[in-house]
Coordinates of all heavy atoms in Angstrom, one line a residue:
M1 N 27.9 22.9 -24.1 CA 27.5 21.5 -23.7 C 27.5 21.4 -22.2 O 26.7 20.9 -21.5 CB 28.4 20.5 -24.3 CG 28.0 19.1 -24.2 SD 26.4 18.8 -25.0 CE 26.0 17.2 -24.4
T2 N 28.6 22.0 -21.6 CA 28.8 22.0 -20.1 C 27.7 22.8 -19.5 O 27.1 22.4 -18.4 CB 30.2 22.5 -19.7 OG1 31.1 21.9 -20.5 CG2 30.4 22.3 -18.3
I3 N 27.4 23.9 -20.1 CA 26.3 24.8 -19.5 C 25.0 24.1 -19.5 O 24.2 24.2 -18.6 CB 26.2 26.1 -20.4 CG1 27.5 27.0 -20.1 CG2 25.0 26.9 -20.0 CD1 27.7 28.1 -21.0
L4 N 24.7 23.4 -20.6 CA 23.4 22.6 -20.7 C 23.3 21.6 -19.6 O 22.3 21.4 -18.9 CB 23.4 21.9 -22.1 CG 22.1 21.2 -22.4 CD1 20.9 22.2 -22.6 CD2 22.2 20.3 -23.6
L5 N 24.4 20.9 -19.3 CA 24.5 19.9 -18.2 C 24.2 20.6 -16.8 O 23.5 20.1 -16.0 CB 25.8 19.2 -18.2 CG 26.0 18.0 -19.2 CD1 27.4 17.5 -19.1 CD2 25.0 16.9 -18.9
I6 N 24.8 21.7 -16.6 CA 24.7 22.5 -15.4 C 23.2 22.9 -15.2 O 22.6 22.8 -14.1 CB 25.6 23.7 -15.3 CG1 27.1 23.2 -15.2 CG2 25.3 24.6 -14.2 CD1 28.1 24.3 -15.4
V7 N 22.6 23.4 -16.3 CA 21.2 23.8 -16.3 C 20.3 22.6 -15.9 O 19.4 22.7 -15.1 CB 20.8 24.4 -17.6 CG1 19.3 24.6 -17.7 CG2 21.5 25.8 -17.8
I8 N 20.6 21.4 -16.6 CA 19.7 20.2 -16.3 C 19.9 19.8 -14.9 O 18.9 19.5 -14.2 CB 20.1 19.1 -17.3 CG1 19.7 19.4 -18.7 CG2 19.5 17.8 -16.8 CD1 20.2 18.5 -19.8
I9 N 21.1 19.7 -14.4 CA 21.4 19.3 -13.0 C 20.7 20.3 -12.0 O 20.1 20.0 -11.0 CB 22.9 19.2 -12.7 CG1 23.4 18.0 -13.5 CG2 23.2 19.1 -11.2 CD1 25.0 18.0 -13.5
G10 N 20.8 21.6 -12.4 CA 20.1 22.7 -11.5 C 18.6 22.5 -11.5 O 18.0 22.6 -10.4
L11 N 18.0 22.2 -12.6 CA 16.6 22.0 -12.7 C 16.2 20.7 -11.8 O 15.2 20.8 -11.1 CB 16.1 21.8 -14.1 CG 16.0 23.1 -14.9 CD1 15.7 22.8 -16.4 CD2 15.0 24.1 -14.4
A12 N 17.0 19.7 -11.9 CA 16.7 18.5 -11.2 C 16.8 18.8 -9.7 O 16.0 18.3 -8.9 CB 17.7 17.4 -11.5
A13 N 17.8 19.6 -9.3 CA 17.9 20.0 -7.9 C 16.7 20.8 -7.4 O 16.2 20.5 -6.3 CB 19.2 20.7 -7.6
V14 N 16.3 21.7 -8.2 CA 15.1 22.6 -7.9 C 13.9 21.7 -7.7 O 13.1 21.8 -6.8 CB 14.9 23.7 -8.9 CG1 13.5 24.3 -8.7 CG2 16.0 24.7 -8.8
A15 N 13.7 20.7 -8.7 CA 12.6 19.8 -8.6 C 12.6 18.9 -7.4 O 11.6 18.7 -6.8 CB 12.5 18.9 -9.9
A16 N 13.8 18.5 -7.0 CA 13.9 17.6 -5.8 C 13.6 18.4 -4.6 O 13.0 17.8 -3.6 CB 15.4 17.1 -5.7
V17 N 13.8 19.7 -4.5 CA 13.5 20.5 -3.4 C 12.0 20.8 -3.4 O 11.3 20.7 -2.4 CB 14.3 21.8 -3.3 CG1 13.8 22.7 -2.2 CG2 15.8 21.4 -3.1
L18 N 11.4 21.2 -4.6 CA 10.1 21.7 -4.6 C 9.0 20.6 -4.6 O 8.0 20.8 -4.0 CB 9.8 22.5 -5.9 CG 10.5 23.8 -6.0 CD1 10.2 24.5 -7.3 CD2 10.0 24.7 -4.8
L19 N 9.3 19.4 -5.1 CA 8.3 18.3 -5.2 C 7.8 17.9 -3.8 O 6.6 17.8 -3.5 CB 8.8 17.1 -6.0 CG 8.7 17.3 -7.5 CD1 9.2 16.1 -8.2 CD2 7.3 17.6 -8.0
P20 N 8.7 17.6 -2.8 CA 8.2 17.3 -1.4 C 7.5 18.4 -0.8 O 6.6 18.1 0.1 CB 9.6 17.0 -0.7 CG 10.5 16.7 -1.7 CD 10.2 17.5 -2.9
I21 N 7.8 19.6 -1.1 CA 7.1 20.8 -0.5 C 5.7 20.8 -1.1 O 4.7 21.1 -0.3 CB 7.8 22.1 -0.8 CG1 9.2 22.1 -0.1 CG2 7.0 23.3 -0.4 CD1 10.1 23.2 -0.5
L22 N 5.5 20.6 -2.4 CA 4.2 20.7 -3.0 C 3.3 19.5 -2.7 O 2.1 19.6 -2.8 CB 4.4 20.9 -4.5 CG 5.1 22.2 -4.9 CD1 5.3 22.2 -6.4 CD2 4.3 23.4 -4.5
R23 N 3.9 18.3 -2.5 CA 3.1 17.1 -2.4 C 2.2 17.0 -1.2 O 1.0 16.6 -1.4 CB 4.1 15.9 -2.4 CG 3.4 14.6 -2.7 CD 4.3 13.5 -2.9 NE 5.1 13.6 -4.2 CZ 6.2 13.0 -4.5 NH1 6.7 12.1 -3.6 NH2 6.8 13.1 -5.6
P24 N 2.5 17.4 0.0 CA 1.6 17.3 1.1 C 0.3 18.1 0.9 O -0.8 17.7 1.3 CB 2.3 17.9 2.3 CG 3.8 17.7 1.9 CD 3.8 17.8 0.4
Q25 N 0.3 19.2 0.1 CA -0.9 19.9 -0.2 C -1.9 19.0 -1.0 O -3.1 19.0 -0.8 CB -0.6 21.2 -1.0 CG 0.2 22.2 -0.1 CD 0.7 23.3 -0.9 OE1 0.6 23.3 -2.2 NE2 1.1 24.4 -0.2
H26 N -1.4 18.3 -2.0 CA -2.2 17.4 -2.8 C -2.8 16.3 -1.9 O -4.0 16.0 -2.0 CB -1.4 16.7 -3.9 CG -0.9 17.7 -4.9 ND1 -1.8 18.4 -5.7 CD2 0.3 18.2 -5.3 CE1 -1.1 19.3 -6.5 NE2 0.1 19.1 -6.2
E27 N -2.0 15.7 -1.0 CA -2.5 14.6 -0.1 C -3.6 15.2 0.8 O -4.6 14.5 1.1 CB -1.4 14.0 0.7 CG -0.5 13.1 -0.2 CD 0.7 12.6 0.6 OE1 0.8 12.9 1.8 OE2 1.5 11.9 0.0
A28 N -3.4 16.4 1.3 CA -4.4 17.0 2.3 C -5.7 17.2 1.5 O -6.8 16.9 2.1 CB -3.9 18.3 2.8
R29 N -5.6 17.6 0.3 CA -6.8 17.8 -0.5 C -7.5 16.5 -0.8 O -8.8 16.4 -0.6 CB -6.5 18.5 -1.8 CG -7.3 19.8 -2.1 CD -6.8 20.5 -3.3 NE -5.5 21.2 -3.1 CZ -4.6 21.5 -4.1 NH1 -4.8 21.0 -5.3 NH2 -3.5 22.1 -3.8
A30 N -6.8 15.5 -1.1 CA -7.4 14.2 -1.4 C -8.0 13.6 -0.1 O -9.0 13.0 -0.1 CB -6.3 13.2 -1.9
G31 N -7.3 13.8 1.0 CA -7.8 13.3 2.3 C -9.1 13.9 2.7 O -10.0 13.3 3.2
S32 N -9.2 15.2 2.5 CA -10.4 15.9 2.9 C -11.6 15.6 2.0 O -12.8 15.7 2.4 CB -10.2 17.4 2.9 OG -10.0 17.9 1.6
A33 N -11.3 15.1 0.8 CA -12.4 14.7 -0.1 C -13.0 13.4 0.3 O -14.2 13.1 0.0 CB -11.9 14.6 -1.5
Q34 N -12.3 12.6 1.1 CA -12.8 11.3 1.5 C -13.9 11.5 2.6 O -13.7 12.3 3.5 CB -11.7 10.4 2.1 CG -10.8 9.8 1.1 CD -9.8 8.9 1.7 OE1 -9.4 9.0 2.8 NE2 -9.3 7.9 0.9
T35 N -15.0 10.7 2.5 CA -16.0 10.8 3.5 C -15.6 10.0 4.7 O -15.1 8.9 4.5 CB -17.4 10.3 2.9 OG1 -17.2 9.0 2.4 CG2 -17.9 11.2 1.8
P36 N -15.9 10.4 5.9 CA -15.6 9.6 7.1 C -16.4 8.4 7.1 O -17.6 8.4 6.7 CB -15.9 10.5 8.3 CG -16.8 11.6 7.7 CD -16.5 11.7 6.3
L37 N -15.9 7.3 7.6 CA -16.6 6.0 7.7 C -17.5 6.0 8.9 O -17.2 6.5 9.9 CB -15.6 4.8 7.8 CG -14.6 4.6 6.7 CD1 -13.6 3.6 7.1 CD2 -15.4 4.1 5.4
D38 N -18.7 5.4 8.7 CA -19.6 5.2 9.8 C -19.3 4.0 10.6 O -18.4 3.2 10.1 CB -21.1 5.2 9.3 CG -21.4 4.1 8.3 OD1 -20.6 3.2 8.2 OD2 -22.4 4.2 7.6
D39 N -19.9 3.8 11.7 CA -19.5 2.6 12.6 C -19.6 1.3 11.9 O -18.8 0.4 12.1 CB -20.4 2.7 13.9 CG -19.9 3.8 14.8 OD1 -18.9 4.4 14.6 OD2 -20.6 4.0 15.8
A40 N -20.7 1.1 11.2 CA -20.9 -0.2 10.5 C -19.8 -0.5 9.5 O -19.3 -1.6 9.4 CB -22.3 -0.2 9.8
A41 N -19.4 0.5 8.8 CA -18.3 0.4 7.8 C -17.0 0.1 8.5 O -16.2 -0.8 8.0 CB -18.2 1.6 6.9
I42 N -16.7 0.7 9.6 CA -15.5 0.5 10.4 C -15.5 -1.0 10.9 O -14.6 -1.7 10.8 CB -15.4 1.5 11.5 CG1 -15.1 2.9 11.0 CG2 -14.3 1.1 12.5 CD1 -15.2 4.0 12.0
E43 N -16.7 -1.4 11.5 CA -16.8 -2.7 12.0 C -16.6 -3.8 10.9 O -15.9 -4.8 11.2 CB -18.2 -2.9 12.7 CG -18.3 -2.3 14.0 CD -17.2 -2.9 15.0 OE1 -16.9 -4.1 15.0 OE2 -16.7 -2.0 15.8
S44 N -17.1 -3.6 9.7 CA -17.0 -4.5 8.7 C -15.5 -4.6 8.2 O -15.0 -5.7 7.9 CB -17.9 -4.2 7.5 OG -17.4 -3.1 6.8
R45 N -14.8 -3.5 8.3 CA -13.4 -3.5 7.9 C -12.6 -4.2 9.0 O -11.6 -5.0 8.7 CB -12.8 -2.1 7.7 CG -13.2 -1.5 6.4 CD -12.3 -0.4 6.0 NE -12.8 0.3 4.9 CZ -12.2 1.3 4.3 NH1 -11.0 1.8 4.8 NH2 -12.7 1.9 3.2
V46 N -12.9 -4.0 10.3 CA -12.2 -4.6 11.4 C -12.4 -6.1 11.2 O -11.5 -6.9 11.4 CB -12.7 -4.1 12.7 CG1 -12.2 -5.0 13.8 CG2 -12.3 -2.7 12.9
E47 N -13.6 -6.5 10.9 CA -13.9 -8.0 10.8 C -13.2 -8.6 9.6 O -12.7 -9.7 9.7 CB -15.5 -8.2 10.6 CG -15.9 -9.6 10.6 CD -15.4 -10.4 11.8 OE1 -15.4 -9.8 13.0 OE2 -14.9 -11.5 11.7
A48 N -13.0 -7.8 8.5 CA -12.3 -8.3 7.4 C -10.8 -8.5 7.7 O -10.2 -9.5 7.3 CB -12.4 -7.3 6.2
Y49 N -10.2 -7.6 8.5 CA -8.8 -7.7 9.0 C -8.7 -8.9 9.9 O -7.7 -9.6 9.9 CB -8.3 -6.4 9.6 CG -7.8 -5.5 8.5 CD1 -8.7 -4.6 7.9 CD2 -6.5 -5.5 8.1 CE1 -8.2 -3.7 7.0 CE2 -6.0 -4.7 7.1 CZ -6.9 -3.8 6.6 OH -6.5 -2.9 5.6
R50 N -9.7 -9.1 10.8 CA -9.7 -10.2 11.8 C -9.6 -11.5 11.1 O -8.9 -12.4 11.4 CB -10.9 -10.0 12.7 CG -10.7 -10.6 14.1 CD -11.9 -10.3 14.9 NE -11.8 -9.0 15.6 CZ -12.8 -8.2 16.0 NH1 -14.1 -8.6 15.8 NH2 -12.6 -7.1 16.6
Q51 N -10.5 -11.6 10.1 CA -10.6 -12.8 9.3 C -9.3 -13.1 8.5 O -8.8 -14.2 8.5 CB -11.8 -12.7 8.3 CG -12.2 -14.0 7.6 CD -12.8 -15.0 8.5 OE1 -13.4 -14.6 9.5 NE2 -12.6 -16.3 8.2
A52 N -8.7 -12.0 8.0 CA -7.5 -12.1 7.2 C -6.3 -12.6 8.1 O -5.5 -13.4 7.7 CB -7.2 -10.8 6.5
L53 N -6.3 -12.0 9.3 CA -5.3 -12.4 10.3 C -5.4 -13.9 10.7 O -4.4 -14.6 10.8 CB -5.3 -11.6 11.5 CG -4.7 -10.2 11.4 CD1 -5.1 -9.3 12.6 CD2 -3.2 -10.3 11.3
R54 N -6.7 -14.4 10.9 CA -6.9 -15.8 11.2 C -6.5 -16.7 10.1 O -5.9 -17.8 10.4 CB -8.4 -16.0 11.5 CG -8.8 -15.6 12.9 CD -10.2 -16.2 13.3 NE -10.8 -15.3 14.3 CZ -11.9 -14.5 14.0 NH1 -12.4 -14.5 12.8 NH2 -12.4 -13.8 15.0
T55 N -6.8 -16.3 8.9 CA -6.6 -17.2 7.8 C -5.2 -17.0 7.1 O -4.9 -17.8 6.2 CB -7.7 -17.1 6.7 OG1 -7.7 -15.7 6.3 CG2 -9.1 -17.4 7.3
G56 N -4.5 -16.0 7.6 CA -3.2 -15.8 7.0 C -3.2 -15.1 5.7 O -2.3 -15.2 4.9
T57 N -4.3 -14.4 5.4 CA -4.4 -13.7 4.1 C -4.2 -12.2 4.2 O -4.5 -11.5 3.2 CB -5.8 -14.0 3.4 OG1 -6.8 -13.6 4.3 CG2 -5.9 -15.4 3.1
L58 N -3.7 -11.7 5.3 CA -3.4 -10.3 5.5 C -2.0 -10.1 4.8 O -1.1 -10.7 5.1 CB -3.3 -9.9 7.0 CG -3.1 -8.4 7.2 CD1 -4.4 -7.6 6.9 CD2 -2.7 -8.1 8.6
C59 N -2.0 -9.1 3.9 CA -0.7 -8.8 3.1 C 0.3 -8.2 4.1 O 0.0 -7.2 4.7 CB -1.0 -7.9 2.0 SG 0.5 -7.6 1.0
L60 N 1.5 -8.8 4.1 CA 2.6 -8.3 5.0 C 3.2 -7.0 4.3 O 3.9 -6.3 5.0 CB 3.6 -9.3 5.2 CG 3.1 -10.5 6.0 CD1 4.2 -11.6 6.2 CD2 2.5 -10.2 7.4
R61 N 3.1 -6.9 3.0 CA 3.7 -5.8 2.3 C 2.8 -4.5 2.4 O 3.3 -3.5 2.8 CB 4.0 -6.1 0.9 CG 4.8 -5.1 0.1 CD 4.6 -5.1 -1.3 NE 5.6 -5.9 -2.0 CZ 5.5 -6.2 -3.3 NH1 4.4 -5.9 -4.0 NH2 6.5 -6.9 -3.9
C62 N 1.6 -4.6 2.0 CA 0.7 -3.4 1.9 C -0.4 -3.4 3.0 O -1.0 -2.4 3.2 CB 0.1 -3.3 0.5 SG -1.2 -4.4 0.2
G63 N -0.6 -4.5 3.7 CA -1.6 -4.5 4.8 C -3.0 -4.7 4.3 O -4.0 -4.6 5.1
F64 N -3.2 -5.1 3.1 CA -4.6 -5.3 2.5 C -5.1 -6.6 3.1 O -4.4 -7.6 3.1 CB -4.5 -5.3 1.0 CG -5.9 -5.4 0.4 CD1 -6.7 -4.3 0.3 CD2 -6.3 -6.6 -0.2 CE1 -7.9 -4.4 -0.3 CE2 -7.5 -6.8 -0.8 CZ -8.4 -5.6 -0.8
A65 N -6.4 -6.6 3.5 CA -7.1 -7.8 4.0 C -7.7 -8.5 2.8 O -8.7 -8.1 2.3 CB -8.1 -7.4 5.0
N66 N -7.1 -9.7 2.4 CA -7.6 -10.4 1.3 C -8.6 -11.4 1.7 O -8.7 -11.8 2.9 CB -6.4 -11.1 0.6 CG -5.5 -10.1 -0.1 OD1 -5.7 -9.6 -1.1 ND2 -4.4 -9.8 0.6
A67 N -9.4 -11.9 0.8 CA -10.5 -12.9 1.1 C -9.8 -14.2 1.4 O -8.7 -14.5 1.0 CB -11.3 -13.1 -0.2
E68 N -10.6 -15.0 2.2 CA -10.1 -16.3 2.6 C -9.8 -17.2 1.4 O -10.6 -17.2 0.5 CB -11.1 -17.0 3.5 CG -10.6 -18.2 4.2 CD -11.7 -18.8 5.2 OE1 -12.7 -18.2 5.4 OE2 -11.4 -19.9 5.6
G69 N -8.7 -17.9 1.5 CA -8.3 -18.8 0.4 C -7.4 -18.1 -0.7 O -6.9 -18.7 -1.6
S70 N -7.2 -16.8 -0.5 CA -6.3 -16.1 -1.4 C -4.9 -16.5 -1.2 O -4.4 -16.8 -0.1 CB -6.4 -14.6 -1.2 OG -7.7 -14.1 -1.3
L71 N -4.1 -16.7 -2.3 CA -2.7 -17.0 -2.3 C -1.8 -15.8 -2.5 O -0.7 -15.8 -2.1 CB -2.4 -18.1 -3.3 CG -3.2 -19.4 -3.0 CD1 -2.8 -20.5 -4.1 CD2 -2.9 -20.0 -1.6
F72 N -2.4 -14.8 -3.2 CA -1.6 -13.6 -3.6 C -2.5 -12.4 -3.2 O -3.7 -12.4 -3.3 CB -1.2 -13.6 -5.0 CG -0.2 -14.7 -5.4 CD1 -0.7 -15.9 -5.8 CD2 1.1 -14.5 -5.2 CE1 0.2 -16.9 -6.1 CE2 2.0 -15.5 -5.5 CZ 1.6 -16.7 -6.0
C73 N -1.8 -11.3 -2.9 CA -2.5 -10.1 -2.5 C -3.2 -9.5 -3.7 O -2.6 -9.3 -4.8 CB -1.5 -9.0 -1.9 SG -2.3 -7.5 -1.5
A74 N -4.5 -9.1 -3.5 CA -5.3 -8.5 -4.6 C -4.9 -7.1 -4.9 O -5.1 -6.6 -6.0 CB -6.8 -8.6 -4.3
E75 N -4.2 -6.5 -3.9 CA -3.8 -5.1 -4.0 C -2.5 -4.9 -4.7 O -2.3 -4.1 -5.6 CB -3.8 -4.5 -2.6 CG -3.8 -3.0 -2.6 CD -5.0 -2.3 -3.0 OE1 -6.1 -3.0 -3.1 OE2 -5.0 -1.1 -3.3
C76 N -1.4 -5.7 -4.2 CA -0.1 -5.5 -4.7 C 0.5 -6.7 -5.3 O 1.6 -6.6 -5.9 CB 0.8 -5.0 -3.5 SG 1.2 -6.2 -2.3
G77 N -0.1 -7.9 -5.2 CA 0.4 -9.1 -5.8 C 1.4 -9.9 -5.0 O 1.9 -10.9 -5.5
E78 N 1.7 -9.4 -3.8 CA 2.6 -10.1 -2.9 C 2.1 -11.5 -2.5 O 0.9 -11.7 -2.4 CB 2.8 -9.3 -1.6 CG 3.7 -9.9 -0.6 CD 5.2 -9.7 -0.9 OE1 5.5 -9.2 -2.0 OE2 6.0 -10.1 0.0
R79 N 3.0 -12.5 -2.4 CA 2.6 -13.8 -2.0 C 2.2 -13.7 -0.5 O 2.9 -13.2 0.3 CB 3.7 -14.8 -2.2 CG 3.3 -16.2 -2.2 CD 4.4 -17.1 -2.6 NE 3.9 -18.4 -2.8 CZ 4.7 -19.5 -2.8 NH1 6.0 -19.4 -2.6 NH2 4.2 -20.7 -3.0
L80 N 1.0 -14.3 -0.2 CA 0.5 -14.2 1.2 C 1.1 -15.4 2.1 O 1.5 -16.4 1.6 CB -1.0 -14.3 1.2 CG -1.7 -13.2 0.4 CD1 -3.2 -13.4 0.3 CD2 -1.4 -11.8 1.1
V81 N 1.0 -15.1 3.4 CA 1.5 -16.1 4.4 C 0.8 -17.4 4.2 O 1.4 -18.5 4.3 CB 1.2 -15.6 5.8 CG1 1.6 -16.6 6.8 CG2 2.1 -14.3 6.0
A82 N -0.5 -17.4 3.9 CA -1.3 -18.6 3.7 C -0.7 -19.5 2.6 O -0.7 -20.7 2.7 CB -2.8 -18.3 3.5
A83 N -0.3 -18.8 1.5 CA 0.3 -19.5 0.4 C 1.6 -20.1 0.8 O 1.9 -21.3 0.4 CB 0.5 -18.5 -0.8
M84 N 2.4 -19.4 1.6 CA 3.7 -19.9 2.0 C 3.5 -21.1 2.9 O 4.3 -22.1 2.8 CB 4.5 -18.8 2.7 CG 4.9 -17.7 1.9 SD 5.8 -16.5 2.8 CE 5.4 -15.0 2.0
V85 N 2.6 -21.0 3.8 CA 2.3 -22.1 4.8 C 1.9 -23.4 4.0 O 2.3 -24.5 4.3 CB 1.3 -21.7 5.8 CG1 0.8 -22.9 6.6 CG2 1.8 -20.6 6.7
S86 N 0.9 -23.2 3.1 CA 0.4 -24.4 2.3 C 1.5 -25.0 1.5 O 1.6 -26.2 1.3 CB -0.8 -24.0 1.5 OG -0.4 -23.1 0.4
A87 N 2.4 -24.1 0.9 CA 3.5 -24.6 0.1 C 4.5 -25.4 0.9 O 5.0 -26.4 0.5 CB 4.2 -23.4 -0.6
R88 N 4.7 -24.9 2.2 CA 5.7 -25.6 3.1 C 5.1 -26.9 3.5 O 5.8 -27.9 3.6 CB 5.9 -24.7 4.3 CG 7.3 -24.9 4.9 CD 7.5 -23.8 6.0 NE 7.7 -22.5 5.5 CZ 7.4 -21.4 6.1 NH1 6.9 -21.4 7.4 NH2 7.6 -20.2 5.6
S89 N 3.8 -26.9 3.8 CA 3.2 -28.2 4.2 C 3.1 -29.2 3.1 O 3.2 -30.4 3.2 CB 1.8 -28.0 4.8 OG 0.9 -27.5 3.9
D90 N 2.9 -28.7 1.8 CA 3.0 -29.5 0.7 C 4.4 -30.2 0.5 O 4.5 -31.4 0.2 CB 2.6 -28.7 -0.6 CG 1.2 -28.4 -0.6 OD1 0.4 -28.9 0.2 OD2 0.8 -27.5 -1.4
A91 N 5.4 -29.4 0.7 CA 6.8 -29.8 0.6 C 7.1 -30.8 1.7 O 7.9 -31.8 1.4 CB 7.7 -28.7 0.6
G92 N 6.5 -30.6 2.9 CA 6.9 -31.5 4.0 C 6.3 -32.9 3.8 O 6.9 -33.9 4.3
T93 N 5.1 -33.0 3.2 CA 4.5 -34.3 3.1 C 4.9 -35.1 1.8 O 5.4 -34.6 0.9 CB 3.0 -34.2 3.1 OG1 2.6 -33.2 2.1 CG2 2.5 -33.7 4.4
Ligands
LIG1 ZN1 -0.4 -6.4 -0.7

């Protein structure tokens, strides 16, 4: 029984060392598969972030630029600043 526990702990230790070593290779492969954005695509993304910053719909947790009027992040579900501001002004009045 003790030997089994030692083997399990040993395997967990080996996995903890090997997984971070193996992971960057997967990310590099995934990154190279992405096509680079052209100028128009970059500009439209910048405009989406600009709009999200103005309207308070930029997610503070994941950085996703949500559409105007959004109360929660479409990417991660976090409550957005715009929702907090409107809730606060509702409570104040
Ligand atoms: Zn988010």
